[in-house]
Amino acid sequence: MSIKIQEALEKKFRDHDVIFWYDDRNELKESFDALDLKGVEKCHLQSNEFEIKYKITSNTTKIKFLVYSNTPKPKPNENWLLDLELAYHVFHTDQEAIILQDLGLEFSFKELVGEHIQFFKSKERVDKLKDLLGKGDSHRDIRYKMVAVTLNTDYVNLNTFIHAHGTAFANGNEKLQRDLERYELSDFYWTQIQNKFKYTSKTPSIYDFLVEAFTDNFNTTASPKLSKETRLLLALWKDSITYREGFDKISFQIASDLQVESILNTLPLEKAVNDELFKLTDKKIIHDLVQRLIINEISNESLQNIVKQREHTFWYNPHFVAFYQSVSFASQLQYQIQKLKVEFMSVENGLEQYTTSLYEIDYLYRKFILNYRRSNQDNILAGLAQKVEKIYTNDWLLHYNDKWQSIIDDLENWPVAKNYSQRQFFKNHIQPFVEKKQRVFVIISDALRFECGVEIHKRLTQENRYDSEIEGALASLPSYTQLGMASLLPHKDLSIKEGTDQILVDGMPSMGIASRSKILTENSEARATAILAEDFMKFSANTTGRDFVKQYDVIYIYHNNIDDTGDDTTSQDKVFDAVESELNFFMDLLKKISNMNGNNMIITSDHGFLYQYETLEESDFTTADIKGVVDKQNRRFVLGTDITGNDGVKCFTHEQLGLKSTGNALIPKSVNRLRVKGAGSKFIHGGASLQEIIIPVVKVNKKRQDTTAQVEIDIIKSTDKITTNLLAVSFIQTEQIDDTMLERKIKASIQAEDGTLLSDQFTYTFDIKEENQRQREVKNRFQLTAQASGKYKNKRVKLVLEEPMDRANKWRTYKEYYYTLNISFTNDFDEF
């Protein structure tokens, strides 16, 4: 006790020159005697009032006085030192007084401490409260901060209290409620909720209150019971990193108790899309989108707008992103195929049309299957998947490859001498670097078809300081690995080794890294080598990597993820996952190359592939009636000597394929497969379909200056005054999205100048590609809180636009727009 009294008095003497101390029960005389206060004279009051009064009033030094009495304090009319007591300070040593002195609070708060004495019996709670207290705190302020300590929240804010309380309840933790009652804070807490949210109940409970809040904000017909403030309460809860899991749980429980599923069953899709409170709502929306898409009762534009609207809702990511992406890609796929009117006039024309636009259909199919698999839900998406498979196979793959086949049938020779041929790759794309004595890295990904190359190209154009161009090339035929890989090497002649499918480059074997390194060295007239991507990635960029790179001007880097996954019957269903993995790997590989001072990079492939997710039908296979000596046969080509087949295959001699060997090759027409025992039939290549023989050539250059920028966001501001509790704002994306002008994500809200949030928050990703600026306008209505027409009335406030910080789960200010609050008192009344 002596130590506490010493500390309390030292603190008080910072602000007072004279302190009176009445020890009514004569319990602390020893503590008084033991006190050693620097610069303080101790005076024991023992019928010597006039002496002490004279000493104090005549003092001209800096010394301070502690006047102690171990008798009860005299009545005012008998107290000869009353005037000094009133002028200076009276020190108290009862329990409440000690607590007040420890907290640095005035004696006027004694009743508050006594009312909540159980709260102050914990040093930990008292220390936390100390950290929160501020100068000039009122009784209400202190109780608010006591509630913050009790509920263990980071913010002294009623919304945050409810988020914490609701989350605890959802987790089955009733301790917070018991603590509020134990510390006599429950009545205060519920009074604050009643004042702000208009919630009344004889037996208030957090769950009962939240049920009413959810009901008000979900029910589109009945009059609300609570104030409009609940909208912001729930919106902030969803945005809270600390308590969002609690929102998930409480929403699930309330949905069950309110029988939300039965309500949603009768709710039109157009109304359901506006709800963000219940997980069931997203299930309802996805169900309706799928059904409408299957029976063609929704336009692609309408569906994409709904998906965009749900993009920043609570359960979109991670719960439903795969579902929404599935319906989005399915709708785009159906739309693209339905509007197709294509005729192929020549090989060059087919190459141009596919690389300009037609590749998008294969891209959309890949993305649909990828997300369909990620959803792990056959029931809801099964019917849509069947429709997608049907239109992709019949209306796209089969129909247009049949048309393409007519061009193939008319060919006498495969065009290997044309500039767009894979066989001219080294001459057209690598030789210029050799002649300029510039280092170039060639990344060859087995089975990277053209649409996959477009995706990596688009990623690179959005990567700052990377310049990327893409063009299509026509792969060698048959479109299999050995021939495709050999075609990319410097060569004069290619031939098939007799009796095999192995390729000789100017008489040299071409299988394996060692063989390809030898060919590069002997045929390139440059310091050249080949290496596996896995081995290359093991280098340290600043040491072993740079030492390796210095030795060569041409470096071929090989990777085999897509083909390796697709060729295996046990993993072929994961081939689109392998594509995603490959694209991510490219980004890491290219950055590693640039860290080794590599500026020139080219990505290409040996061949593409055909892939259909569903099990193939009998009609997808053809019987070729092959005769002659067969050296190699798979689903999409046959090699041999003097071999022939029926009308289901196209026959080429080696000479017609630009090979210096003798023999024949049979290619099944269109997208048909040959029957081959044990071979997978979903993932195939070797034939002449658009998907198999059109490959990407992506030219990448690392720049020293910035190559990308984000679009700017502005608002159409017609006034600088806010006169109602609803503020309509029109946001404008000032530029259209393109390869180098990137999207911008913002979070907008109305805030007071002191940072207090005065509205709900609006999150949106501006990625609009429309050229017309009016089509890049996005509108939102902000609901303002009661504080906007109360504490902050007639004050200046700001519309704050924030953007996410890179690699951090935080936001930074992007732009601010100022308004003056001038809301009429009539706006505080709900409609009645």
Side-chain angles (χ1 to χ4, degrees):
M1 178 65 82
S2 296
I3 295 174
K4 279 194 174 183
I5 291 174
Q6 172 99 11
E7 291 175 351
L9 285 168
E10 286 175 346
K11 189 173 182 181
K12 289 296 180 183
F13 272 117
R14 294 173 194 165
D15 301 317
H16 304 285
D17 292 334
V18 180
I19 293 176
F20 290 84
W21 175 11
Y22 288 98
D23 179 14
D24 297 353
R25 298 175 185 175
N26 191 24
E27 296 173 333
L28 300 172
K29 177 64 169 59
E30 291 183 5
S31 297
F32 171 73
D33 293 337
L35 286 174
D36 182 15
L37 298 166
K38 187 177 181 180
V40 176
E41 180 178 334
K42 297 192 297 182
C43 303
H44 188 184
L45 193 59
Q46 294 174 307
S47 300
N48 54 350
E49 289 89 347
F50 292 109
E51 177 188 344
I52 292 174
K53 189 169 188 175
Y54 176 77
K55 187 180 293 188
I56 293 172
T57 55
S58 62
N59 177 47
T60 58
T61 67
K62 292 184 179 181
I63 197 165
K64 298 183 180 184
F65 298 92
L66 172 63
V67 181
Y68 169 80
S69 173
N70 53 347
T71 59
K73 183 179 179 180
K75 295 177 182 179
N77 60 351
E78 298 175 359
N79 189 353
W80 296 101
L81 299 177
L82 180 61
D83 56 337
L84 291 179
E85 287 182 19
L86 293 174
Y88 293 104
H89 181 74
V90 177
F91 181 65
H92 300 271
T93 51
D94 53 74
Q95 185 178 16
E96 291 89 343
I98 293 294
I99 292 170
L100 287 172
Q101 284 152 181
D102 188 23
L103 292 171
L105 294 174
E106 295 300 323
F107 192 68
S108 59
F109 292 104
K110 181 177 181 180
E111 187 177 328
L112 181 151
V113 173
E115 181 183 343
H116 307 289
I117 195 67
Q118 289 296 326
F119 175 90
F120 296 99
K121 289 187 176 180
S122 162
K123 184 179 185 303
E124 182 182 0
R125 286 194 296 273
V126 171
D127 287 345
K128 286 183 178 179
L129 182 60
K130 275 186 189 177
D131 293 338
L132 295 176
L133 292 177
K135 190 173 182 180
D137 278 348
S138 66
H139 284 67
R140 179 178 179 273
D141 293 334
I142 294 172
R143 285 190 174 94
Y144 247 94
K145 292 173 181 181
M146 290 167 65
V147 173
V149 173
T150 302
L151 300 180
N152 194 30
T153 64
D154 293 331
Y155 301 100
V156 184
N157 177 283
L158 187 57
N159 285 335
T160 306
F161 297 164
I162 296 168
H163 299 162
H165 195 177
T167 298
F169 176 85
N171 291 325
N173 177 6
E174 297 182 2
K175 182 179 183 298
L176 298 187
Q177 179 60 42
R178 290 197 302 269
D179 287 348
L180 287 171
E181 294 169 358
R182 183 183 303 129
Y183 307 144
E184 302 295 340
L185 289 167
S186 187
D187 287 347
F188 171 80
Y189 175 66
W190 288 111
T191 298
Q192 303 310 305
I193 290 177
Q194 178 180 345
N195 292 342
K196 183 171 185 177
F197 299 106
K198 306 297 183 282
Y199 169 70
T200 58
S201 173
K202 292 181 180 179
T203 56
S205 73
I206 189 64
Y207 185 65
D208 181 64
F209 166 68
L210 291 174
V211 167
E212 287 196 18
F214 272 77
T215 301
D216 276 2
N217 287 276
F218 177 68
N219 196 326
T220 57
T221 56
S223 298
K225 293 182 179 180
L226 307 181
S227 71
K228 294 175 182 177
E229 293 282 321
T230 56
R231 174 181 169 183
L232 182 60
L233 169 74
L234 299 180
L236 293 175
W237 195 356
K238 288 180 292 183
D239 290 336
S240 166
I241 296 173
T242 305
Y243 302 114
R244 58 184 294 132
E245 185 180 338
F247 179 90
D248 189 334
K249 292 181 179 179
I250 208 78
S251 171
F252 179 82
Q253 186 170 342
I254 292 174
S256 175
D257 291 344
L258 294 183
Q259 298 182 319
V260 167
E261 183 175 354
S262 62
I263 298 172
L264 287 170
N265 281 334
T266 61
L267 196 66
L269 172 63
E270 289 71 21
K271 288 189 175 181
V273 294
N274 296 316
D275 175 62
E276 300 182 25
L277 295 177
F278 298 109
K279 198 172 185 178
L280 283 171
T281 302
D282 284 285
K283 292 184 177 181
K284 152 78 175 178
I285 294 169
I286 292 165
H287 172 272
D288 285 5
L289 289 177
V290 168
Q291 296 309 310
R292 291 191 185 190
L293 196 52
I294 288 174
I295 60 177
N296 297 324
E297 283 193 351
I298 187 169
S299 69
N300 180 58
E301 182 180 7
S302 296
L303 185 142
Q304 301 305 331
N305 286 338
I306 289 173
V307 173
K308 181 69 177 176
Q309 184 176 342
R310 302 302 296 180
E311 194 175 53
H312 293 295
T313 54
F314 182 72
W315 280 283
Y316 179 85
N317 197 359
H319 299 284
F320 293 108
V321 59
F323 294 88
Y324 281 112
Q325 290 296 299
S326 291
V327 294
S328 174
F329 286 119
S331 179
Q332 293 178 68
L333 177 78
Q334 180 172 284
Y335 173 72
Q336 292 284 6
I337 292 177
Q338 286 174 345
K339 71 175 186 177
L340 277 181
K341 290 182 181 178
V342 176
E343 297 296 334
F344 299 118
M345 311 307 296
S346 63
V347 170
E348 292 87 347
N349 174 257
L351 178 64
E352 180 184 4
Q353 289 197 73
Y354 188 80
T355 55
T356 302
S357 61
L358 296 180
Y359 72 85
E360 291 180 3
I361 296 174
D362 295 308
Y363 166 81
L364 294 170
Y365 176 74
R366 172 167 64 84
K367 290 294 187 179
F368 169 78
I369 295 298
L370 181 71
N371 284 281
Y372 172 52
R373 282 175 48 79
R374 285 177 175 175
S375 73
N376 290 319
Q377 286 284 339
D378 282 338
N379 290 342
I380 184 65
L381 295 175
L384 182 60
Q386 290 173 5
K387 181 177 184 181
V388 166
E389 197 71 32
K390 183 177 179 181
I391 62 174
Y392 177 74
T393 299
N394 297 334
D395 299 344
W396 164 241
L397 279 185
L398 185 58
H399 183 69
Y400 284 96
N401 272 298
D402 281 351
K403 289 188 175 187
W404 175 244
Q405 186 62 45
S406 65
I407 301 298
I408 304 298
D409 288 342
D410 290 341
L411 288 178
E412 291 189 8
N413 297 294
W414 193 248
V416 296
K418 300 289 187 180
N419 280 335
Y420 56 77
S421 171
Q422 182 187 46
R423 296 278 286 274
Q424 306 304 313
F425 172 80
F426 193 91
K427 174 186 173 184
N428 292 339
H429 301 294
I430 309 305
Q431 192 63 38
F433 286 106
V434 174
E435 292 172 356
K436 294 176 186 177
K437 299 188 182 303
Q438 294 178 346
R439 182 176 292 118
V440 61
F441 295 79
V442 182
I443 302 164
I444 302 171
S445 175
D446 201 325
L448 184 78
R449 66 182 183 182
F450 184 78
E451 57 92 2
C452 304
V454 172
E455 184 169 356
I456 192 63
H457 159 69
K458 288 183 176 179
R459 283 200 194 183
L460 286 165
T461 57
Q462 295 179 2
E463 190 79 17
N464 195 26
R465 301 197 175 185
Y466 281 88
D467 185 36
S468 176
E469 298 176 2
I470 186 171
E471 60 185 74
L474 198 69
S476 297
L477 197 66
S479 54
Y480 71 106
T481 298
Q482 286 90 330
L483 181 55
M485 293 295 185
S487 299
L488 296 169
L489 295 167
H491 66 274
K492 293 180 181 178
D493 298 322
L494 298 183
S495 59
I496 298 179
K497 186 177 180 180
E498 187 176 354
T500 71
D501 62 348
Q502 298 174 27
I503 305 299
L504 301 177
V505 176
D506 298 330
M508 294 179 282
S510 61
M511 286 186 68
I513 292 298
S515 297
R516 292 168 191 171
S517 289
K518 180 181 178 181
I519 293 168
L520 284 165
T521 300
E522 295 196 11
N523 287 1
S524 68
E525 299 178 356
R527 299 183 303 159
T529 191
I531 186 173
L532 292 175
E534 290 82 357
D535 292 335
F536 186 85
M537 291 297 285
K538 292 176 183 176
F539 288 134
S540 170
N542 295 325
T543 55
T544 54
R546 292 193 178 185
D547 291 342
F548 172 80
V549 166
K550 286 177 183 177
Q551 304 173 66
Y552 305 104
D553 301 312
V554 177
I555 301 172
Y556 272 48
I557 304 173
Y558 292 89
H559 200 231
N560 181 17
N561 186 33
I562 300 172
D563 195 75
D564 190 47
T565 303
D567 271 343
D568 190 333
T569 56
T570 63
S571 62
Q572 61 181 345
D573 284 344
K574 299 177 182 177
V575 68
F576 288 160
D577 298 273
V579 171
E580 293 292 308
S581 173
E582 187 77 334
L583 299 182
N584 292 332
F585 177 78
F586 282 151
M587 299 305 296
D588 293 337
L589 177 58
L590 293 172
K591 288 176 181 178
K592 185 129 191 174
I593 290 172
S594 66
N595 287 337
M596 297 179 187
N597 295 327
N599 297 320
N600 303 305
M601 297 153 267
I602 297 179
I603 302 170
T604 191
S605 178
D606 51 349
H607 56 76
F609 64 87
L610 267 173
Y611 182 78
Q612 291 163 259
Y613 183 67
E614 294 296 330
T615 302
L616 275 71
E617 298 179 2
E618 186 66 23
S619 59
D620 293 312
F621 296 89
T622 185
T623 302
D625 297 330
I626 301 169
K627 296 180 176 59
V629 180
V630 175
D631 296 325
K632 172 70 176 181
Q633 179 176 346
N634 77 3
R635 296 285 190 191
R636 289 292 286 166
F637 71 98
V638 183
L639 296 176
T641 305
D642 296 328
I643 54 174
T644 59
N646 58 21
D647 291 340
V649 294
K650 167 72 174 176
C651 182
F652 290 95
T653 65
H654 287 197
E655 184 180 2
Q656 289 175 312
L657 295 174
L659 301 171
K660 287 298 182 180
S661 48
T662 58
N664 308 91
L666 303 180
I667 310 294
K669 294 184 177 181
S670 189
V671 294
N672 290 318
R673 279 88 160 156
L674 296 173
R675 295 190 181 279
V676 178
K677 187 176 180 180
S681 57
K682 292 183 177 183
F683 175 91
I684 54 170
H685 60 86
S689 72
L690 294 163
Q691 293 75 14
E692 293 170 284
I693 50 86
I694 297 181
I695 58 171
V697 178
V698 184
K699 302 175 185 177
V700 186
N701 184 253
K702 182 68 186 298
K703 300 290 186 180
R704 298 194 177 193
Q705 289 81 31
D706 291 344
T707 57
T708 62
Q710 287 181 285
V711 292
E712 295 294 330
I713 310 301
D714 205 346
I715 68 168
I716 301 174
K717 193 176 181 185
S718 57
T719 179
D720 61 356
K721 288 184 172 61
I722 300 175
T723 57
T724 70
N725 284 323
L726 285 175
L727 176 65
V729 176
S730 291
F731 297 88
I732 288 290
Q733 177 184 308
T734 58
E735 305 92 359
Q736 67 184 107
I737 293 291
D738 59 26
D739 286 345
T740 57
M741 190 60 66
L742 312 182
E743 66 182 35
R744 186 186 293 272
K745 181 179 179 180
I746 67 154
K747 180 169 67 175
S749 60
I750 309 296
Q751 298 179 19
E753 289 196 279
D754 63 10
T756 300
L757 187 65
L758 297 177
S759 76
D760 54 352
Q761 296 175 314
F762 169 64
T763 305
Y764 195 85
T765 300
F766 286 87
D767 56 359
I768 306 167
K769 298 179 181 179
E770 302 297 335
E771 185 175 351
N772 187 332
Q773 188 180 75
R774 296 303 298 181
Q775 292 178 289
R776 301 198 299 271
E777 180 180 349
V778 177
K779 298 180 179 180
N780 183 65
R781 281 157 56 101
F782 292 92
Q783 172 75 53
L784 275 75
T785 68
Q787 283 182 301
S789 55
K791 177 181 178 181
Y792 295 97
K793 187 174 182 179
N794 298 323
K795 298 286 182 68
R796 194 170 78 148
V797 297
K798 53 190 177 181
L799 170 63
V800 181
L801 275 57
E802 298 174 281
E803 60 182 354
M805 296 173 62
D806 293 338
R807 293 180 290 277
N809 195 16
K810 295 182 180 179
W811 296 75
R812 63 186 170 207
T813 300
Y814 166 56
K815 285 185 178 179
E816 295 178 345
Y817 302 88
Y818 284 87
Y819 296 83
T820 300
L821 280 175
N822 191 16
I823 300 174
S824 170
F825 70 90
T826 58
N827 283 285
D828 292 336
F829 291 86
D830 293 329
E831 295 181 6
F832 64 93

